[in-house]
Amino acid sequence: MGDHAKPAKNHAFFQHHFNTVGQQAGAAKMGMWLFLATEVLMFSGLFLAYFVVRALYPEMVLSSHELLDKTMGGINTVVLLTSSFTMAMAVRYAQLGDNKRCATQLLITLACAFIFLGVKYVEYTGKFSHGIFPGGYFHYDEAAQYAHSHGHSFRGLPHVFFGLYFVMTGLHGVHVLAGIGVIVWVYLRAKRGDFKDGYYAPVENVGLYWHIVDLVWIFLFPLLYLVK
Amino acid sequence: MADAHSTESNYLTATTGLKSWLFTLDHKRIGLMYLVGVLVFFLAGGVFALTLRTELLTPQGGDFISATTYNKMFTLHGAVMVFLVIIPSVPAALGNFLLPLMLGAKDVAFPRLNLLSFWIYTLGSMFFLFTLAAGQLDTGWTFYTPYSNTTGTAVISATFGAFILGFSSILTGLNFIVTVHKMRAPGMTWNKMPLMVWALYSTAVIQVLATPVLAITLLLLIVERTLMIGIFDPAMGGDPVLYQHFFWFYSHPAVYIMILPGFGIESELIAVHSRKHIFGYKAIALSSVAIAIISFVVWGHHMFVSGQSELAGIVFSFLTFAVAVPTAIKTFSWVATLYKGSIEFNTPMLYGLMFLFTFSIGGLTGIFLGALSVDVHLHDTYFVVAHFHYVMMGGTIIAFVGGIHHWWPKMFGVMYSEKWGKISALFIFVGFNMTFFNQFLLGQQGMPRRYWSYAPQFQQQHILSTVGGYLLLVGFMIIAIYLVHSLRNGEKVGPNPWNAQSLEWTATASPPIEHNFHGQPRVENDPYNFPEIDRTGSSH
Amino acid sequence: MPTAASTFAEDTDNLYFFITALDTLFFVLIMGAMGYFMWKYRRRSKDQKTSSITHSGVIEFLWSAIPTVLLLVVFIWGECDFVRQSVAPADPLEVRVTGQKWYWTVEYPKYPGVSLNSSTEEPALTLMVPKGKPVRLTMTSTDVIHSFFVPAFRVKRDVVPGRYTQIWFEATRIGEFNLFCTEYCGDFHSNMTGVVKVLEPDDFERELIKAGVLTQEEGESMAAYGERIYKRRGCVACHSVDGADGTGPSWQGLYGRTESLSDGTTVKAEDQYIKDSIYEPNKQVVAGYAPQMPSYQGQLDNEQVTAVIEYIKTLK
Ligand code: HEA
Ligand code: HEA
Ligand code: CUA
Ligand SMILES: [Cu+2]
């Protein structure tokens, strides 16, 4: 409810149906947190599916995950962590009304996002070239041969593991793409100098979103790449 | 304060043209657009239902439609009624209209999101219609795997439609939660909120928490169908029962998404039309929250015979009974509210009383289904069909229709014909019980659901049930006619024809102005303090 | 409730009637109170006084606690019956049940060669069991989920592909009872029904073998034997012999016809092709049909396939 005593300020981005700027900012923040909760719940459904598959076929998951490239996964983890840091900096600058620095930080964040997707692209095409396609398109013989040449052997039904791998990282990738979209949007607004006088909710909300995307990866990485 | 301005323009007349509706940010207009959508789909769903009923007049299949058509019909009927009608009915249509008015706010917290949510609803329903055109689907509204992986019909477009509709539902829920937290008028403490607001709030919480799980389930189903990932399909090494867990984890809470708003309306109807303070305000408000929480842990009661572990069955059965208690509390409180009231039998109240009758039957038959050994016999028979129609149709839809009548003067500033209102209520009461009570008898005799043809000994009850279905059609047709008629010819009413005490009646015009209130309303009174209440406490 | 014909039926019915009584009691109480208030407190004048009661701790406690206790009783009762019904006694008669679109096949490990099938025309039965002896069914499906339901026994269990589920029961009454599929499984879900026949233990074995073993009879022609197989092994569910289209192509005029397949090739329908169609139906799928036919590898022997072919030859 906020403090209705304070009159509505004539702020550029103030919407009439609120009584105060504080109320508006509070609503925006709460809405964002709720949205993030739905994101987390959605991914937790996938994690659940993963744990069920893992409980059903522990051997299969162990033997299949060896084919994922831990180095690339590791690089991506570092890249995303870095981007989370620069995103936090961007929020800080927006708070201070320093649109220029904010824009720079956002640019670095964007660069990280692209690096992440680039690495994923290399990983995906690498898999495809050895017959590791999602689900029913999986070429067992070709993939098994590839596994063999790396000193591993499949047990059970590897296509289930890779199917999940593609779905989980794919959905995460879609979220990275959406993240790029919204970061570009706040970047343009920072360029325009929108964030001042304590108005920085968009950057903050985009930041929160980006941290969640990061957080999901922090779970995906060990579960998929580092199963033991 | 509203009377002084009663001649000025209202939200219906403030702007004109199609665009002023389709791109409106006004929660009241968005609510009305939802209402139109919901009623159109209700008619469609009803026509599908009557198609089913007509085929079931005779035991042998094929008198009216083929088995394939029958299967598509009950799927469409169930899916349309659930995803396009009942879930958006009260929250998105009436809730949108009422929530800010009841809270004393100018709008919901995020009006643009609200409009987006409406558009997503439209888009999602387009996908459903596309499904109709594109070979349709025949999986049942539950989309069970592996059947849904193998059947040749338009499963993908339908599930994608449901997936999109899920987002609409999430956005509405999110918007409502923030609105209730942040937009209450000065003086509107949590304990002064009308119970309708409490109900919408609890519903919104479930929508936000449960719908993402449906989204991911449907997404997995789509991926399974297109890429053959192999998590649900046993032929690929998957587990078909896992799908059922996912599905019911959403869909059980969803049944409370459907009923809680109905409870909210019921509280308003009973209190306002008996002019009595609602009995046990706190218990009603908090039991909604209790239901919202417990509803997340009872999903396994749909799977007692699916091959889930015995222990799981026991735990789920226990929790199912736990969730019945808060509902019992509400039911008793509504009846107690009537005690020493001043009960007027107008159309909204008739629906309020009808709700108590039909919903009680629906809820009480849930007890049979929650009891493990009895459910073994009743599962997937018409007993279940009867149970859920008694709670969904006899609960939510009846409350919804009552709510439409109750707030109709507020929405349009006119009154409908009381006489026809009562006549149609009678049709609906008789028709409804005739249609569905017979189905309890069928079910306990062992008549399975989703059957296009059946053993001859079941015919009698099926005929009665079909006749009841047609009576329902007549009843709803009458309603549609006199409501539309009242828009032009209805008697004009003042801001508060029921003499109710909540803000939407006391502080706004009928119909309300575009920005709801002149100035900022303040709340001193409790919404159920009616002027007739005898302060001395003595009675006569 | 339908005729009670198993040892569980009585238990289940007792709880059913208990809940009915409990529900009726509460329903009458609620409706009684509602009706009484409706009459007593109907509005007589515009400013009729109403009471200021808003709540009452004692009453609210009572109407929460009493239903809780009663519901607990229902829960425990249902749970005990359920658990008892889950554990089969030692040494039951073992039966294997297979569900597939849209019929049931029943086999008895103790009686090799016996196979009953619900799509048979004559005699119409699916499952034969002796009275008074526990029977345990081990069930699985070859395609989608089905559910095995005998109302008279109050038993039901889903039949899931890739898994084995079990139920048991002991029949207490001689007679024929309905068997239904209660999990939606496609077009002819409602035709996936059958009959359960309960026999005196003394007659059981003899009757079972008479009904369940399919061999060429003395003096029976191959084609006539083939026709019996057609009816008894479920082909009739999908194939007509009069040209009417069904789930599968009609057998009328099939022999010697040139079939176009879904991969664009054509094939002449002669002995080898028909045999392949029965053993590996999804290898060559006739254009315009979904690959719905189950394989009969291991279910029909060479001689029986030959008999079917002979029968098809007669269908001009
Ligand atoms: C609006 C929706 C709604 C609501 C509110 C409910 C409410 C309840 N439902 Fe229902 N249910 C459905 C919608 C709903 N259901 C649907 C759609 C299905 C089937 C889906 C499908 O398969 O397609 C279903 C199926 C279903 C099943 C699965 C059956 C099966 O498939 O085998 C079960 C089993 O436990 C169940 C139980 C209950 C219970 C215990 C309640 C309780 O919450 C009811 C509580 C209310 C009361 C008990 C009445 C009032 C109380 C009193 C009068 C007090 C006194 C009472 C006593 C002391 C007994 N329901
Ligand atoms: C909200 C939910 C809802 C509602 C309201 C209804 C309403 C009706 N339903 Fe049902 N039904 C379901 C949800 C619902 N249904 C679900 C989920 C299933 C399971 C599907 C599955 O198995 O997958 C099902 C299944 C189902 C079956 C079982 C099919 C089978 O298993 O083989 C049957 C059979 O009789 C049936 C009948 C009916 C009938 C006669 C009505 C009637 O009450 C309909 C009456 C309505 C009308 C005739 C429309 C009139 C409207 C207007 C004139 C518009 C104007 C209105 C106003 C102004 C208010 N329904
Ligand atoms: Cu098999 Cu339904
Ligand atoms: Cu449920």
Side-chain angles (χ1 to χ4, degrees), chain C residues 150-161:
Chain C
V150 183
F153 294 170
R154 317 288 190 265
V155 292
K156 181 182 293 132
R157 194 71 168 196
D158 282 5
V159 177
V160 185

Side-chain angles (χ1 to χ4, degrees), chain B residues 39 42-43 45-47 49-50 52-53 56 70 74-75 77-79 81-82 85-86 139-142 382 385 388-389 392-393 397 401 404 432 435-436 439 448-452 465 469 472-473 476-477 479-480 483:
Chain B
L39 290 181
F42 181 53
L43 176 60
V47 171
L50 294 180
L52 296 174
R53 291 282 6 134
L56 293 174
Y70 183 88
F74 73 66
T75 305
H77 165 67
M81 284 296 196
V82 168
V85 177
I86 193 166
T139 56
W141 80 284
T142 47
Y382 264 77
V385 175
F388 67 69
H389 283 93
M392 297 206 287
M393 171 94 187
I397 299 289
V401 175
I404 293 177
F432 175 79
T435 313
F436 295 110
Q439 297 187 357
R449 64 191 279 204
R450 297 172 173 175
Y451 262 32
W452 163 70
S465 177
L472 278 171
L473 178 68
F476 282 117
M477 283 301 201
I479 301 184
L483 284 185

Side-chain angles (χ1 to χ4, degrees), chain B residues 221-264:
Chain B
L221 192 63
I222 293 172
V223 182
E224 181 84 17
R225 193 60 214 228
T226 47
L227 300 177
M228 295 159 277
I229 297 293
I231 15 183
F232 297 143
D233 187 352
M236 308 278 296
D239 179 354
V241 181
L242 178 63
Y243 172 81
Q244 299 178 16
H245 280 291
F246 269 105
F247 182 81
W248 290 115
F249 183 81
Y250 163 77
S251 291
H252 184 81
V255 310
Y256 294 102
I257 295 181
M258 305 171 199
I259 196 67
L260 284 176
F263 289 169

Side-chain angles (χ1 to χ4, degrees), chain B residues 86 141-142 248 252 255-256 258-259 263 301-302 304 320-321 323-325 327-329 331-332 359-360 362-367 369-371 375 378-380 384 387-388 391-392 396 449-450, chain C residues 22-23 26-27 30 66-68 70-71:
Chain B
I86 193 166
W141 80 284
T142 47
W248 290 115
H252 184 81
V255 310
Y256 294 102
M258 305 171 199
I259 196 67
F263 289 169
H301 68 202
H302 296 275
F304 286 154
T320 300
F321 288 121
V323 82
V325 175
T327 316
I329 295 174
T331 314
F332 293 133
F359 177 75
S360 293
L364 288 168
T365 50
I367 306 297
L369 300 174
D375 183 64
L378 297 175
H379 174 72
D380 268 348
V384 177
H387 157 70
F388 67 69
V391 281
M392 297 206 287
T396 312
R449 64 191 279 204
R450 297 172 173 175
Chain C
L22 185 70
D23 277 6
F26 273 92
F27 188 69
I30 295 176
I66 295 172
T68 308
L70 290 171
L71 289 174

Side-chain angles (χ1 to χ4, degrees), chain A residues 28-42:
Chain A
K29 198 156 164 178
M30 185 171 184
M32 194 63 201
W33 277 107
L34 284 169
F35 171 68
L36 295 180
T38 65
E39 289 281 24
V40 169
L41 284 161
M42 185 158 110

Side-chain angles (χ1 to χ4, degrees), chain A residues 104-116:
Chain A
T104 320
Q105 295 295 338
L106 286 174
L107 218 51
I108 307 180
T109 314
L110 269 180
C112 289
F114 279 110
I115 296 177
F116 178 88

